Amino acid sequence: MRRRSHYSEGDDYVALTNWKVSNFIAHALLRGYHIAYYKDMSRIHYWRAHTKQYHIISIDNIISSKTGVENATINS
């Protein structure tokens, strides 16, 4: 039986399911940002549509933070 992709294994899966990264993603989405994860750089890009707000943050920075949201540049 083949498993679905959300039952995946590997470093990227573990990093993206870390509770701090989940906090960051939820916080950004609730603030109206679009999010993309680039596996080759292990970074999250987040931006607001129709604006010049475009930011890049490393997964390592998010994981090393206290809650996952204090290192981000997220405006309400």
Side-chain angles (χ1 to χ4, degrees):
M1 179 176 181
R2 187 177 165 164
R3 290 185 167 196
R4 290 184 149 184
S5 62
H6 63 273
Y7 291 113
S8 181
E9 295 178 8
D11 293 338
D12 291 321
Y13 178 76
V14 171
L16 289 175
T17 57
N18 181 290
W19 69 273
K20 293 177 186 179
V21 177
S22 296
N23 280 354
F24 172 82
I25 292 171
H27 187 70
L29 290 173
L30 288 172
R31 298 286 188 260
Y33 285 86
H34 297 270
I35 295 178
Y37 173 69
Y38 291 94
K39 181 178 179 178
D40 58 338
M41 297 183 296
S42 189
R43 294 186 176 159
I44 292 179
H45 295 222
Y46 57 103
W47 68 94
R48 285 199 178 188
H50 310 295
T51 67
K52 294 183 179 184
Q53 291 184 16
Y54 192 92
H55 308 282
I56 302 171
I57 190 166
S58 172
I59 295 291
D60 295 332
N61 287 351
I62 297 171
I63 291 173
S64 66
S65 67
K66 195 175 202 180
T67 63
V69 295
E70 60 271 354
N71 289 346
T73 308
I74 297 179
N75 303 320
S76 52

Short mmCIF file of all heavy atoms in Angstrom, two decimals, residues 15-74:
data_model
loop_
_atom_site.label_atom_id
_atom_site.label_comp_id
_atom_site.label_asym_id
_atom_site.label_seq_id
_atom_site.Cartn_x
_atom_site.Cartn_y
_atom_site.Cartn_z
N ALA A 15 11.44 19.00 9.60
CA ALA A 15 11.61 20.45 9.81
C ALA A 15 10.29 21.19 9.66
O ALA A 15 9.97 22.06 10.46
CB ALA A 15 12.64 21.01 8.83
N LEU A 16 9.50 20.84 8.66
CA LEU A 16 8.25 21.56 8.42
C LEU A 16 7.16 21.20 9.41
O LEU A 16 6.20 21.94 9.57
CB LEU A 16 7.77 21.32 6.99
CG LEU A 16 8.60 22.00 5.92
CD1 LEU A 16 8.11 21.59 4.54
CD2 LEU A 16 8.59 23.50 6.08
N THR A 17 7.29 20.08 10.10
CA THR A 17 6.29 19.72 11.10
C THR A 17 6.72 20.09 12.51
O THR A 17 6.01 19.79 13.47
CB THR A 17 5.96 18.21 11.04
OG1 THR A 17 7.16 17.47 11.22
CG2 THR A 17 5.31 17.86 9.73
N ASN A 18 7.86 20.75 12.65
CA ASN A 18 8.29 21.24 13.95
C ASN A 18 7.26 22.25 14.45
O ASN A 18 6.74 23.07 13.68
CB ASN A 18 9.66 21.90 13.79
CG ASN A 18 10.21 22.43 15.08
OD1 ASN A 18 9.71 23.42 15.61
ND2 ASN A 18 11.25 21.79 15.57
N TRP A 19 6.97 22.26 15.75
CA TRP A 19 5.91 23.13 16.27
C TRP A 19 6.23 24.61 16.08
O TRP A 19 5.33 25.41 15.89
CB TRP A 19 5.62 22.81 17.74
CG TRP A 19 6.72 23.18 18.71
CD1 TRP A 19 7.78 22.43 19.07
CD2 TRP A 19 6.83 24.41 19.44
NE1 TRP A 19 8.56 23.11 19.97
CE2 TRP A 19 7.99 24.32 20.23
CE3 TRP A 19 6.06 25.56 19.51
CZ2 TRP A 19 8.41 25.35 21.08
CZ3 TRP A 19 6.47 26.58 20.35
CH2 TRP A 19 7.64 26.47 21.12
N LYS A 20 7.49 24.98 16.10
CA LYS A 20 7.84 26.39 15.88
C LYS A 20 7.59 26.80 14.44
O LYS A 20 7.11 27.90 14.17
CB LYS A 20 9.29 26.63 16.27
CG LYS A 20 9.54 26.46 17.75
CD LYS A 20 11.00 26.64 18.07
CE LYS A 20 11.28 26.34 19.52
NZ LYS A 20 12.71 26.48 19.83
N VAL A 21 7.92 25.92 13.51
CA VAL A 21 7.67 26.20 12.10
C VAL A 21 6.17 26.26 11.84
O VAL A 21 5.69 27.13 11.10
CB VAL A 21 8.37 25.16 11.20
CG1 VAL A 21 8.06 25.41 9.74
CG2 VAL A 21 9.87 25.18 11.43
N SER A 22 5.42 25.37 12.47
CA SER A 22 3.95 25.41 12.34
C SER A 22 3.39 26.71 12.89
O SER A 22 2.47 27.29 12.32
CB SER A 22 3.32 24.22 13.07
OG SER A 22 3.70 23.03 12.47
N ASN A 23 3.94 27.18 14.01
CA ASN A 23 3.52 28.47 14.57
C ASN A 23 3.78 29.59 13.58
O ASN A 23 2.93 30.46 13.36
CB ASN A 23 4.28 28.79 15.86
CG ASN A 23 3.73 28.09 17.06
OD1 ASN A 23 2.70 27.44 16.99
ND2 ASN A 23 4.45 28.21 18.16
N PHE A 24 4.97 29.59 12.98
CA PHE A 24 5.33 30.62 12.02
C PHE A 24 4.38 30.61 10.82
O PHE A 24 3.86 31.65 10.41
CB PHE A 24 6.77 30.44 11.53
CG PHE A 24 7.12 31.36 10.41
CD1 PHE A 24 7.50 32.66 10.68
CD2 PHE A 24 7.03 30.95 9.10
CE1 PHE A 24 7.80 33.53 9.64
CE2 PHE A 24 7.32 31.80 8.07
CZ PHE A 24 7.70 33.10 8.34
N ILE A 25 4.15 29.43 10.26
CA ILE A 25 3.28 29.31 9.08
C ILE A 25 1.86 29.77 9.40
O ILE A 25 1.26 30.54 8.65
CB ILE A 25 3.31 27.87 8.54
CG1 ILE A 25 4.69 27.57 7.95
CG2 ILE A 25 2.21 27.66 7.51
CD1 ILE A 25 4.91 26.12 7.58
N ALA A 26 1.33 29.33 10.52
CA ALA A 26 -0.03 29.72 10.91
C ALA A 26 -0.11 31.22 11.12
O ALA A 26 -1.07 31.88 10.67
CB ALA A 26 -0.45 28.99 12.17
N HIS A 27 0.88 31.79 11.78
CA HIS A 27 0.91 33.23 12.05
C HIS A 27 0.94 34.03 10.74
O HIS A 27 0.21 35.01 10.58
CB HIS A 27 2.12 33.56 12.93
CG HIS A 27 2.17 34.95 13.41
ND1 HIS A 27 1.30 35.45 14.35
CD2 HIS A 27 2.99 35.98 13.08
CE1 HIS A 27 1.59 36.73 14.58
NE2 HIS A 27 2.61 37.06 13.83
N ALA A 28 1.78 33.60 9.81
CA ALA A 28 1.89 34.29 8.52
C ALA A 28 0.60 34.18 7.72
O ALA A 28 0.14 35.17 7.14
CB ALA A 28 3.06 33.73 7.73
N LEU A 29 0.00 33.01 7.69
CA LEU A 29 -1.24 32.83 6.94
C LEU A 29 -2.38 33.65 7.53
O LEU A 29 -3.19 34.23 6.80
CB LEU A 29 -1.63 31.35 6.88
CG LEU A 29 -0.73 30.46 6.02
CD1 LEU A 29 -1.12 29.01 6.19
CD2 LEU A 29 -0.80 30.88 4.57
N LEU A 30 -2.44 33.71 8.85
CA LEU A 30 -3.49 34.52 9.49
C LEU A 30 -3.30 36.01 9.24
O LEU A 30 -4.27 36.77 9.29
CB LEU A 30 -3.51 34.24 11.00
CG LEU A 30 -4.07 32.88 11.39
CD1 LEU A 30 -3.86 32.63 12.88
CD2 LEU A 30 -5.54 32.79 11.04
N ARG A 31 -2.09 36.43 8.95
CA ARG A 31 -1.81 37.83 8.65
C ARG A 31 -1.97 38.15 7.16
O ARG A 31 -1.70 39.25 6.73
CB ARG A 31 -0.40 38.21 9.09
CG ARG A 31 -0.15 38.08 10.58
CD ARG A 31 -0.85 39.20 11.32
NE ARG A 31 -0.50 39.22 12.72
CZ ARG A 31 -1.25 38.72 13.70
NH1 ARG A 31 -2.39 38.15 13.41
NH2 ARG A 31 -0.89 38.80 14.95
N GLY A 32 -2.34 37.16 6.36
CA GLY A 32 -2.62 37.40 4.95
C GLY A 32 -1.45 37.21 4.01
O GLY A 32 -1.48 37.67 2.87
N TYR A 33 -0.41 36.53 4.44
CA TYR A 33 0.75 36.28 3.60
C TYR A 33 0.58 34.99 2.81
O TYR A 33 -0.09 34.06 3.23
CB TYR A 33 2.02 36.16 4.45
CG TYR A 33 2.53 37.48 4.96
CD1 TYR A 33 2.04 38.02 6.15
CD2 TYR A 33 3.48 38.20 4.26
CE1 TYR A 33 2.50 39.24 6.63
CE2 TYR A 33 3.95 39.42 4.73
CZ TYR A 33 3.45 39.92 5.91
OH TYR A 33 3.91 41.12 6.38
N HIS A 34 1.23 34.94 1.66
CA HIS A 34 1.35 33.72 0.87
C HIS A 34 2.69 33.11 1.26
O HIS A 34 3.65 33.82 1.56
CB HIS A 34 1.35 34.03 -0.63
CG HIS A 34 0.08 34.63 -1.09
ND1 HIS A 34 -0.98 33.89 -1.54
CD2 HIS A 34 -0.32 35.93 -1.18
CE1 HIS A 34 -1.97 34.70 -1.88
NE2 HIS A 34 -1.58 35.94 -1.67
N ILE A 35 2.77 31.78 1.24
CA ILE A 35 3.98 31.11 1.70
C ILE A 35 4.43 30.08 0.67
O ILE A 35 3.60 29.39 0.09
CB ILE A 35 3.73 30.40 3.05
CG1 ILE A 35 3.43 31.42 4.12
CG2 ILE A 35 4.92 29.54 3.45
CD1 ILE A 35 3.11 30.81 5.46
N ALA A 36 5.75 30.00 0.49
CA ALA A 36 6.34 28.96 -0.36
C ALA A 36 7.57 28.42 0.36
O ALA A 36 8.32 29.17 0.98
CB ALA A 36 6.73 29.52 -1.71
N TYR A 37 7.76 27.11 0.29
CA TYR A 37 8.93 26.48 0.88
C TYR A 37 9.83 26.00 -0.25
O TYR A 37 9.38 25.33 -1.18
CB TYR A 37 8.53 25.30 1.75
CG TYR A 37 9.71 24.51 2.26
CD1 TYR A 37 10.58 25.05 3.19
CD2 TYR A 37 9.95 23.23 1.79
CE1 TYR A 37 11.66 24.33 3.64
CE2 TYR A 37 11.03 22.50 2.24
CZ TYR A 37 11.89 23.06 3.16
OH TYR A 37 12.96 22.35 3.62
N TYR A 38 11.11 26.37 -0.19
CA TYR A 38 12.08 25.94 -1.18
C TYR A 38 13.03 24.95 -0.55
O TYR A 38 13.85 25.30 0.29
CB TYR A 38 12.82 27.14 -1.77
CG TYR A 38 11.90 27.99 -2.61
CD1 TYR A 38 11.24 29.08 -2.08
CD2 TYR A 38 11.67 27.65 -3.93
CE1 TYR A 38 10.37 29.83 -2.85
CE2 TYR A 38 10.81 28.39 -4.72
CZ TYR A 38 10.17 29.48 -4.16
OH TYR A 38 9.31 30.22 -4.93
N LYS A 39 12.87 23.71 -0.94
CA LYS A 39 13.60 22.59 -0.36
C LYS A 39 15.11 22.72 -0.56
O LYS A 39 15.88 22.42 0.34
CB LYS A 39 13.09 21.30 -1.00
CG LYS A 39 13.70 20.05 -0.50
CD LYS A 39 13.07 18.87 -1.20
CE LYS A 39 13.67 17.58 -0.72
NZ LYS A 39 13.04 16.44 -1.35
N ASP A 40 15.53 23.17 -1.72
CA ASP A 40 16.96 23.25 -2.02
C ASP A 40 17.69 24.26 -1.14
O ASP A 40 18.88 24.10 -0.88
CB ASP A 40 17.20 23.55 -3.50
CG ASP A 40 16.56 24.85 -3.94
OD1 ASP A 40 15.61 25.32 -3.27
OD2 ASP A 40 16.99 25.39 -4.97
N MET A 41 17.00 25.28 -0.65
CA MET A 41 17.62 26.28 0.21
C MET A 41 17.19 26.13 1.67
O MET A 41 17.75 26.79 2.54
CB MET A 41 17.24 27.69 -0.26
CG MET A 41 17.74 28.03 -1.64
SD MET A 41 17.36 29.72 -2.11
CE MET A 41 15.59 29.70 -2.15
N SER A 42 16.20 25.31 1.93
CA SER A 42 15.64 25.11 3.27
C SER A 42 15.18 26.45 3.87
O SER A 42 15.46 26.78 5.01
CB SER A 42 16.66 24.43 4.19
OG SER A 42 16.06 24.06 5.40
N ARG A 43 14.47 27.19 3.04
CA ARG A 43 13.97 28.50 3.45
C ARG A 43 12.51 28.66 3.07
O ARG A 43 12.04 28.09 2.10
CB ARG A 43 14.78 29.61 2.79
CG ARG A 43 16.20 29.62 3.27
CD ARG A 43 16.94 30.77 2.73
NE ARG A 43 18.28 30.74 3.32
CZ ARG A 43 19.30 31.34 2.81
NH1 ARG A 43 19.18 32.04 1.71
NH2 ARG A 43 20.47 31.26 3.40
N ILE A 44 11.85 29.49 3.85
CA ILE A 44 10.46 29.83 3.57
C ILE A 44 10.43 31.25 3.02
O ILE A 44 11.03 32.16 3.60
CB ILE A 44 9.59 29.73 4.83
CG1 ILE A 44 9.46 28.27 5.26
CG2 ILE A 44 8.22 30.35 4.61
CD1 ILE A 44 8.65 28.05 6.51
N HIS A 45 9.74 31.42 1.91
CA HIS A 45 9.52 32.74 1.33
C HIS A 45 8.08 33.11 1.64
O HIS A 45 7.19 32.29 1.46
CB HIS A 45 9.73 32.71 -0.18
CG HIS A 45 11.13 32.41 -0.58
ND1 HIS A 45 11.74 33.07 -1.60
CD2 HIS A 45 12.05 31.53 -0.12
CE1 HIS A 45 12.98 32.62 -1.76
NE2 HIS A 45 13.18 31.66 -0.85
N TYR A 46 7.86 34.33 2.10
CA TYR A 46 6.49 34.75 2.37
C TYR A 46 6.30 36.18 1.90
O TYR A 46 7.20 36.99 1.98
CB TYR A 46 6.12 34.56 3.84
CG TYR A 46 7.00 35.28 4.84
CD1 TYR A 46 6.55 36.44 5.46
CD2 TYR A 46 8.25 34.80 5.19
CE1 TYR A 46 7.33 37.10 6.39
CE2 TYR A 46 9.03 35.44 6.11
CZ TYR A 46 8.58 36.60 6.71
OH TYR A 46 9.37 37.26 7.63
N TRP A 47 5.12 36.46 1.34
CA TRP A 47 4.85 37.75 0.72
C TRP A 47 3.37 38.05 0.77
O TRP A 47 2.55 37.19 0.96
CB TRP A 47 5.35 37.74 -0.72
CG TRP A 47 4.57 36.83 -1.61
CD1 TRP A 47 3.52 37.16 -2.40
CD2 TRP A 47 4.77 35.42 -1.79
NE1 TRP A 47 3.04 36.06 -3.06
CE2 TRP A 47 3.79 34.97 -2.70
CE3 TRP A 47 5.67 34.50 -1.26
CZ2 TRP A 47 3.70 33.65 -3.09
CZ3 TRP A 47 5.57 33.17 -1.66
CH2 TRP A 47 4.60 32.77 -2.56
N ARG A 48 3.08 39.32 0.57
CA ARG A 48 1.69 39.76 0.41
C ARG A 48 1.45 40.09 -1.05
O ARG A 48 2.27 40.74 -1.69
CB ARG A 48 1.43 41.01 1.25
CG ARG A 48 1.31 40.68 2.69
CD ARG A 48 0.61 41.78 3.41
NE ARG A 48 0.50 41.36 4.80
CZ ARG A 48 -0.19 41.99 5.68
NH1 ARG A 48 -0.84 43.08 5.35
NH2 ARG A 48 -0.25 41.57 6.91
N ALA A 49 0.32 39.65 -1.54
CA ALA A 49 -0.03 39.90 -2.93
C ALA A 49 -0.25 41.39 -3.16
O ALA A 49 -0.73 42.10 -2.28
CB ALA A 49 -1.28 39.12 -3.30
N HIS A 50 0.16 41.85 -4.32
CA HIS A 50 -0.05 43.23 -4.77
C HIS A 50 0.68 44.25 -3.91
O HIS A 50 0.28 45.41 -3.84
CB HIS A 50 -1.54 43.57 -4.83
CG HIS A 50 -2.34 42.56 -5.58
ND1 HIS A 50 -2.17 42.32 -6.92
CD2 HIS A 50 -3.29 41.68 -5.17
CE1 HIS A 50 -2.99 41.36 -7.31
NE2 HIS A 50 -3.68 40.96 -6.26
N THR A 51 1.71 43.84 -3.21
CA THR A 51 2.55 44.77 -2.46
C THR A 51 4.01 44.43 -2.74
O THR A 51 4.32 43.46 -3.43
CB THR A 51 2.31 44.66 -0.93
OG1 THR A 51 2.78 43.39 -0.48
CG2 THR A 51 0.86 44.86 -0.58
N LYS A 52 4.90 45.23 -2.17
CA LYS A 52 6.33 44.97 -2.33
C LYS A 52 6.90 44.22 -1.13
O LYS A 52 8.11 44.10 -0.99
CB LYS A 52 7.08 46.28 -2.53
CG LYS A 52 6.72 46.97 -3.83
CD LYS A 52 7.52 48.21 -4.02
CE LYS A 52 7.16 48.85 -5.36
NZ LYS A 52 7.97 50.01 -5.65
N GLN A 53 6.04 43.69 -0.28
CA GLN A 53 6.50 42.95 0.89
C GLN A 53 6.86 41.52 0.47
O GLN A 53 5.99 40.73 0.14
CB GLN A 53 5.42 42.90 1.96
CG GLN A 53 5.14 44.22 2.60
CD GLN A 53 4.13 44.06 3.72
OE1 GLN A 53 3.87 42.96 4.20
NE2 GLN A 53 3.56 45.16 4.14
N TYR A 54 8.14 41.22 0.49
CA TYR A 54 8.63 39.88 0.17
C TYR A 54 9.76 39.58 1.14
O TYR A 54 10.71 40.35 1.26
CB TYR A 54 9.15 39.83 -1.27
CG TYR A 54 9.41 38.42 -1.75
CD1 TYR A 54 8.43 37.70 -2.40
CD2 TYR A 54 10.63 37.80 -1.53
CE1 TYR A 54 8.64 36.41 -2.84
CE2 TYR A 54 10.87 36.51 -1.96
CZ TYR A 54 9.87 35.82 -2.62
OH TYR A 54 10.08 34.54 -3.05
N HIS A 55 9.64 38.48 1.86
CA HIS A 55 10.62 38.14 2.89
C HIS A 55 11.06 36.69 2.74
O HIS A 55 10.31 35.85 2.25
CB HIS A 55 10.02 38.33 4.29
CG HIS A 55 9.42 39.67 4.50
ND1 HIS A 55 10.17 40.79 4.74
CD2 HIS A 55 8.13 40.07 4.47
CE1 HIS A 55 9.36 41.83 4.87
NE2 HIS A 55 8.12 41.43 4.71
N ILE A 56 12.26 36.42 3.20
CA ILE A 56 12.82 35.07 3.18
C ILE A 56 13.36 34.79 4.58
O ILE A 56 14.05 35.62 5.16
CB ILE A 56 13.97 34.95 2.16
CG1 ILE A 56 13.47 35.31 0.76
CG2 ILE A 56 14.57 33.55 2.19
CD1 ILE A 56 14.57 35.43 -0.27
N ILE A 57 13.04 33.61 5.10
CA ILE A 57 13.54 33.22 6.41
C ILE A 57 13.98 31.75 6.36
O ILE A 57 13.33 30.93 5.73
CB ILE A 57 12.50 33.46 7.52
CG1 ILE A 57 13.13 33.27 8.90
CG2 ILE A 57 11.28 32.60 7.34
CD1 ILE A 57 12.28 33.81 10.04
N SER A 58 15.08 31.48 7.00
CA SER A 58 15.62 30.12 7.05
C SER A 58 14.86 29.30 8.09
O SER A 58 14.47 29.80 9.14
CB SER A 58 17.10 30.18 7.42
OG SER A 58 17.60 28.89 7.66
N ILE A 59 14.67 28.03 7.78
CA ILE A 59 14.03 27.11 8.73
C ILE A 59 14.85 27.06 10.02
O ILE A 59 14.29 27.00 11.11
CB ILE A 59 13.91 25.71 8.11
CG1 ILE A 59 12.97 25.72 6.92
CG2 ILE A 59 13.46 24.68 9.13
CD1 ILE A 59 11.52 25.94 7.25
N ASP A 60 16.17 27.12 9.90
CA ASP A 60 17.04 27.08 11.09
C ASP A 60 16.79 28.27 12.00
O ASP A 60 16.81 28.13 13.22
CB ASP A 60 18.51 27.04 10.69
CG ASP A 60 18.87 25.77 9.94
OD1 ASP A 60 18.21 24.74 10.19
OD2 ASP A 60 19.80 25.82 9.13
N ASN A 61 16.55 29.45 11.43
CA ASN A 61 16.24 30.64 12.25
C ASN A 61 14.93 30.48 13.00
O ASN A 61 14.80 30.90 14.14
CB ASN A 61 16.18 31.90 11.39
CG ASN A 61 17.53 32.36 10.94
OD1 ASN A 61 18.55 31.85 11.40
ND2 ASN A 61 17.54 33.30 10.03
N ILE A 62 13.96 29.89 12.35
CA ILE A 62 12.66 29.67 12.99
C ILE A 62 12.80 28.67 14.13
O ILE A 62 12.31 28.90 15.24
CB ILE A 62 11.61 29.18 11.97
CG1 ILE A 62 11.37 30.25 10.90
CG2 ILE A 62 10.31 28.84 12.67
CD1 ILE A 62 10.53 29.78 9.74
N ILE A 63 13.50 27.57 13.88
CA ILE A 63 13.65 26.53 14.90
C ILE A 63 14.48 27.01 16.08
O ILE A 63 14.21 26.65 17.23
CB ILE A 63 14.24 25.25 14.27
CG1 ILE A 63 13.21 24.63 13.31
CG2 ILE A 63 14.64 24.24 15.33
CD1 ILE A 63 13.71 23.47 12.51
N SER A 64 15.46 27.86 15.85
CA SER A 64 16.30 28.34 16.95
C SER A 64 15.64 29.46 17.75
O SER A 64 16.14 29.85 18.79
CB SER A 64 17.65 28.81 16.42
OG SER A 64 17.49 29.94 15.61
N SER A 65 14.50 29.97 17.29
CA SER A 65 13.79 31.02 18.01
C SER A 65 13.00 30.43 19.17
O SER A 65 12.89 29.23 19.32
CB SER A 65 12.87 31.79 17.07
OG SER A 65 11.83 30.97 16.63
N LYS A 66 12.44 31.31 19.97
CA LYS A 66 11.70 30.87 21.16
C LYS A 66 10.34 30.25 20.82
O LYS A 66 9.99 29.19 21.33
CB LYS A 66 11.51 32.07 22.09
CG LYS A 66 11.10 31.75 23.48
CD LYS A 66 11.08 33.01 24.31
CE LYS A 66 11.18 32.70 25.77
NZ LYS A 66 11.16 33.92 26.58
N THR A 67 9.57 30.93 19.97
CA THR A 67 8.23 30.44 19.63
C THR A 67 8.02 30.26 18.13
O THR A 67 6.99 29.74 17.71
CB THR A 67 7.13 31.40 20.14
OG1 THR A 67 7.29 32.65 19.48
CG2 THR A 67 7.20 31.58 21.63
N GLY A 68 8.94 30.74 17.32
CA GLY A 68 8.81 30.59 15.87
C GLY A 68 8.34 31.83 15.16
O GLY A 68 8.41 31.90 13.94
N VAL A 69 7.86 32.83 15.87
CA VAL A 69 7.34 34.02 15.19
C VAL A 69 8.13 35.30 15.49
O VAL A 69 7.97 36.29 14.79
CB VAL A 69 5.85 34.26 15.51
CG1 VAL A 69 5.01 33.14 14.97
CG2 VAL A 69 5.63 34.44 16.98
N GLU A 70 8.98 35.30 16.49
CA GLU A 70 9.63 36.56 16.85
C GLU A 70 10.73 37.00 15.88
O GLU A 70 11.04 38.18 15.83
CB GLU A 70 10.18 36.51 18.29
CG GLU A 70 11.20 35.45 18.54
CD GLU A 70 10.59 34.14 18.97
OE1 GLU A 70 9.39 34.05 19.18
OE2 GLU A 70 11.36 33.19 19.06
N ASN A 71 11.30 36.11 15.08
CA ASN A 71 12.32 36.50 14.13
C ASN A 71 11.76 36.96 12.79
O ASN A 71 12.48 37.46 11.95
CB ASN A 71 13.28 35.33 13.86
CG ASN A 71 14.17 35.05 15.05
OD1 ASN A 71 14.28 35.85 15.96
ND2 ASN A 71 14.81 33.90 15.03
N ALA A 72 10.50 36.79 12.58
CA ALA A 72 9.88 37.09 11.30
C ALA A 72 9.50 38.56 11.19
O ALA A 72 9.27 39.23 12.17
CB ALA A 72 8.65 36.23 11.12
N THR A 73 9.43 39.02 9.96
CA THR A 73 8.95 40.35 9.67
C THR A 73 7.53 40.24 9.18
O THR A 73 7.27 40.18 7.99
CB THR A 73 9.82 41.01 8.59
OG1 THR A 73 11.19 40.92 8.97
CG2 THR A 73 9.47 42.46 8.38
N ILE A 74 6.60 40.14 10.13
CA ILE A 74 5.19 39.97 9.77
C ILE A 74 4.41 41.14 10.34
O ILE A 74 4.36 41.34 11.55
CB ILE A 74 4.62 38.63 10.30
CG1 ILE A 74 5.37 37.47 9.66
CG2 ILE A 74 3.14 38.54 10.02
CD1 ILE A 74 4.92 36.12 10.12
#
